[in-house]
Amino acid sequence: MRYRYRNKDAPSIRCIAACSKSALNLIVTAMICTPRCRQPFARAASRSPSGRALFLFRNQVDTHATDPMFRARIEPVRLLAVLMLVTYHVVGDTAESGLQIADTHPLRLVMSLLADLRMPLFACISGFLYALKPVSPAAYPTFIRGKFRRLAVPATICIAGFLGASQVMGTKFMPQGPIWHAFVFPYAHFWFLQAIFLIFVFYCGFDILTRGRLLLVSLTVACAVYLLRLGFPSNVMSVNHALYLLPYFLTGIVMARHEERAARWRPLVILLSAAILALGVGWVLRDPGQNTAMLASRHDLQSLMVGMSGAVLLLGIAPRVTWLNGFGSLAFTIYLYHIFGTSLARRALDAAGIDDLTVHICAGLICGLALPAALYLLAAQHNLLNFGLHGRLPTRPVRHKIST
C-alpha cells in the first residue's frame, strides 16, 4: 500500500493531536518514575584513600566528565538517537516494508543518510558512559555479570515475544533457520545488544588490564579493521557488528577521558567536526539516487566520517537538559519494544482506511514511544516484570526494628 500526503484529513489530525498529548503525559510520567543517575564511580572512589588505590583511570578521566551536569548533556543526544531509530522503523528500511515509500522519495534519502549516525551514536554514548564509571580488575566479573543480566534477560524475553508476533502476523522477520538462531545470530534490531555485550566483554577487559594507555592505538586499529572490512566467517553473537561499532564506542571513551582538554578548544572541535561531517555527507550525496546501496554498504570512509564526526558534534553542541536525567532506562525499553508500537499503529490506520503519510508517521512515533513507556511503568510496579523487562534484581523491602 502506497501512502500519500493529504491536507484535508482534519479529523485524523485532531485525533493525532489528542493522542500526542496523552502519549507525552505517559512518557513524562515514566521519566519521573525513572531513578536518577547515580554519581560516577570516580567521585565515590576519590573520597577515600582505599578507593583511590583501586581507581585506575584517575589521571585519564577529566574532572568535567565526573560532573553530573556533564552527564545531563548525554541524555538529549540519546533522546535524538531514539527518535531517529523509531522514525526509521516507522518509515521502513526498504520500499517494500514499513510505509512502503519509494527509494526516490526525499524521506527515504534522509533515512539513508541517518543510517550512518543512528547506531554509531548509540555506540558512542555507550562508550562515553563506560568511561565515566571505570571498573577495577577485581570488579570486572561483577561488571560483566551485571551487563549480561541487564542485556541478555530483557533481550531474550523481547526476542521471544517478537518471534511470536512475527509468526502470528506472518511478517518477514521469521528466521530462515532454526528458531534458536534468533537468539545467537543477528536478528532484527536486537543485533546491537549482542554486539555491545561482546565489546563490554573483550575490549573493556583489555582496557582495564592496560589501564587505558592503549586507547588511541586501539581506536586506530579499530578504524583500520572497519575500513578493511575484516571479520569472522560466522557472525555468531553479532561479532562482525561488534567490529562495526567498536570505532564509535572508542570515540565515546576518548571524548569522556579528554573532555577537559577538548573543552578548552571547544569552538575548534565543533568547527572541525562540522567540516568533516559536511564533507562526509557531501561524499555520500555524490550519487543520491542509490539509496539502497547506501544502506547496504556501511564499511567505508565516508560512513566512518559521518558517524564519528556527527557523534562528536552532537555531544559538543548538545544543551544541558537536567530534567532528562534518568532517560537512559526508559530509552532501553523504547529500543526493545518500540517496533511493537509502530507496527500496531500502521496496521490500525490501514484497517481504518487512513493512508495520509503525515498521520502515519506521527501515529507511529507516538505509539512507538508510548507503548514502551507504558510497559516501563507497569514493570516498575512488579519485581518479576522489572527483572524480565529490564534485568533488574528484585528489591527487598526494608525491615524496621520495633523498639520495645
Side-chain angles (χ1 to χ4, degrees):
M1 179 178 182
R2 295 285 179 177
Y3 298 89
R4 62 181 184 275
Y5 176 79
R6 297 185 300 175
N7 292 322
K8 59 183 180 180
D9 203 347
S12 299
I13 295 176
R14 286 196 296 268
C15 179
I16 290 296
C19 293
S20 300
K21 183 177 180 181
S22 301
L24 181 61
N25 291 333
L26 184 64
I27 295 169
V28 171
T29 303
M31 290 179 58
I32 292 174
C33 295
T34 302
R36 293 294 180 185
C37 299
R38 296 180 179 179
Q39 297 289 343
F41 174 76
R43 175 166 294 185
S46 63
R47 290 177 178 171
S48 64
S50 60
R52 293 192 192 100
L54 292 175
F55 189 44
L56 304 177
F57 301 91
R58 60 184 181 275
N59 295 324
Q60 299 182 27
V61 179
D62 298 315
T63 55
H64 285 278
T66 60
D67 185 356
M69 286 297 295
F70 190 88
R71 180 73 175 263
R73 300 180 66 180
I74 287 292
E75 303 305 337
V77 180
R78 178 149 43 190
L79 176 60
L80 177 62
V82 166
L83 292 176
M84 288 193 295
L85 179 68
V86 177
T87 305
Y88 170 70
H89 284 134
V90 169
V91 174
D93 56 347
T94 65
E96 289 75 31
S97 63
L99 299 183
Q100 300 179 0
I101 297 176
D103 289 335
T104 55
H105 195 280
L107 188 58
R108 175 69 61 197
L109 176 61
V110 173
M111 293 296 103
S112 299
L113 287 173
L114 293 179
D116 287 326
L117 187 59
R118 277 189 302 268
M119 306 316 294
L121 194 55
F122 279 111
C124 183
I125 292 172
S126 298
F128 191 96
L129 296 179
Y130 159 77
L132 292 185
K133 298 182 180 181
V135 182
S136 66
Y140 175 73
T142 303
F143 169 77
I144 293 302
R145 285 196 300 267
K147 289 299 180 184
F148 180 82
R149 185 185 71 250
R150 294 295 303 273
L151 293 175
V153 173
T156 300
I157 293 177
C158 190
I159 289 174
F162 194 75
L163 285 170
S166 299
Q167 178 68 36
V168 172
M169 298 295 181
T171 66
K172 67 174 184 177
F173 291 103
M174 283 302 299
Q176 302 297 324
I179 294 297
W180 61 268
H181 279 191
F183 298 92
V184 295
F185 289 98
Y187 176 63
H189 60 292
F190 304 106
W191 63 265
F192 179 85
L193 305 180
Q194 298 174 339
I196 206 69
F197 177 72
L198 289 185
I199 292 176
F200 280 129
V201 170
F202 293 103
Y203 176 76
C204 293
F206 171 79
D207 188 55
I208 292 169
L209 292 177
T210 60
R211 301 192 177 189
R213 295 191 181 100
L214 299 180
L215 174 59
L216 297 181
V217 175
S218 301
L219 178 59
T220 303
V221 173
C223 291
V225 171
Y226 179 101
L227 294 175
L228 293 174
R229 305 188 183 189
L230 301 179
F232 296 88
S234 176
N235 199 16
V236 61
M237 289 299 294
S238 302
V239 61
N240 291 327
H241 290 76
L243 295 177
Y244 163 71
L245 294 177
L246 186 57
Y248 308 109
F249 185 88
L250 298 180
T251 299
I253 298 179
V254 171
M255 293 177 63
R257 293 181 182 171
H258 300 278
E259 191 273 339
E260 185 180 13
R261 189 175 304 170
R264 293 195 295 265
W265 300 90
R266 185 180 180 186
L268 180 61
V269 171
I270 292 176
L271 182 61
L272 184 61
S273 301
I276 296 175
L277 178 62
L279 180 62
V281 172
W283 193 346
V284 172
L285 287 177
R286 72 189 188 278
D287 190 3
Q290 298 182 355
N291 297 338
T292 304
M294 290 165 56
L295 286 172
S297 177
R298 298 268 66 87
H299 291 263
D300 47 38
L301 181 58
Q302 57 267 37
S303 297
L304 190 64
M305 292 168 60
V306 171
M308 294 180 69
S309 62
V312 173
L313 180 62
L314 288 175
L315 288 171
I317 66 176
R320 299 170 184 253
V321 185
T322 55
W323 58 268
L324 279 175
N325 283 358
F327 176 69
S329 298
L330 179 58
F332 180 62
T333 308
I334 294 174
Y335 183 91
L336 286 176
Y337 291 96
H338 71 276
I339 201 164
F340 292 95
T342 58
S343 178
L344 177 64
R346 184 179 67 254
R347 293 174 184 275
L349 291 176
D350 286 344
I354 300 175
D355 61 352
D356 183 78
L357 181 60
T358 304
V359 173
H360 269 269
I361 293 176
C362 293
L365 274 172
I366 293 169
C367 292
L369 297 174
L371 179 62
L375 290 175
Y376 184 90
L377 291 174
L378 179 63
Q381 308 301 319
H382 305 279
N383 285 334
L384 186 59
L385 281 176
N386 202 17
F387 178 74
L389 296 182
H390 305 132
R392 294 200 184 103
L393 294 175
T395 56
R396 297 179 180 179
V398 179
R399 298 181 179 180
H400 301 279
K401 294 183 178 179
I402 300 177
S403 59
T404 59

